[in-house]
Amino acid sequence: MLGEVIKWIIYVLLVVLLSYNIYLSVEMTKFKRRSLVRSVEELSQMETQMIAELSKTKRKWSLLEQTLFLIAIFMAFKGKQIEVAFFIDLYTVASIVTNKLTYQIFRILALKD
């Protein structure tokens, strides 16, 4: 009984996370399209440092994202369907964090009005 409830939670969570990730990607694409990006020379020292820190953090999350995706692929061949869904959930969470970090970087780079 408890196992069935956990399965449903994992599947519902997967749908919600994937929907939110798609929404974030669309919003980021819209932001990129309508924003003008400043050159490196126009950035202040503090902004450059913030971008460097965000990029380092993003790299770590991207590595975790790729690892979780590879585990999900492995589980697709060797594991159960629920295990695949669980690792896809984790992959999607890492992807959402990566998208949010990218969005923060682009907000710093955007031309201020």
Side-chain angles (χ1 to χ4, degrees):
M1 177 67 183
L2 182 63
E4 287 297 317
V5 172
I6 291 174
K7 282 183 184 180
W8 278 104
I9 290 172
I10 288 174
Y11 290 132
V12 169
L13 191 60
L14 180 61
V15 171
V16 170
L17 288 172
L18 285 173
S19 301
Y20 183 65
N21 195 22
I22 291 169
Y23 168 78
L24 269 181
S25 296
V26 169
E27 287 298 312
M28 190 169 50
T29 303
K30 286 180 186 177
F31 181 77
K32 283 183 198 177
R33 199 174 311 138
R34 72 173 180 253
S35 297
L36 298 174
V37 178
R38 295 183 288 171
S39 66
V40 177
E41 294 81 27
E42 297 175 36
L43 297 174
S44 69
Q45 179 69 22
M46 187 177 81
E47 289 173 327
T48 306
Q49 186 177 10
M50 286 173 54
I51 289 174
E53 290 173 10
L54 287 171
S55 295
K56 184 187 285 186
T57 305
K58 182 183 168 195
R59 218 172 301 124
K60 291 175 185 176
W61 278 96
S62 294
L63 182 62
L64 176 64
E65 182 182 355
Q66 293 168 1
T67 304
L68 290 169
F69 185 73
L70 290 174
I71 292 171
I73 289 175
F74 176 75
M75 287 296 164
F77 292 110
K78 297 290 183 181
K80 298 177 184 173
Q81 183 179 2
I82 191 67
E83 293 168 339
V84 175
F86 177 73
F87 282 103
I88 293 293
D89 278 350
L90 295 177
Y91 162 78
T92 306
V93 169
S95 179
I96 288 170
V97 172
T98 303
N99 279 338
K100 286 190 170 268
L101 289 169
T102 304
Y103 185 71
Q104 288 178 351
I105 291 170
F106 275 108
R107 285 191 55 196
I108 293 171
L109 289 174
L111 188 61
K112 308 246 193 291
D113 292 331

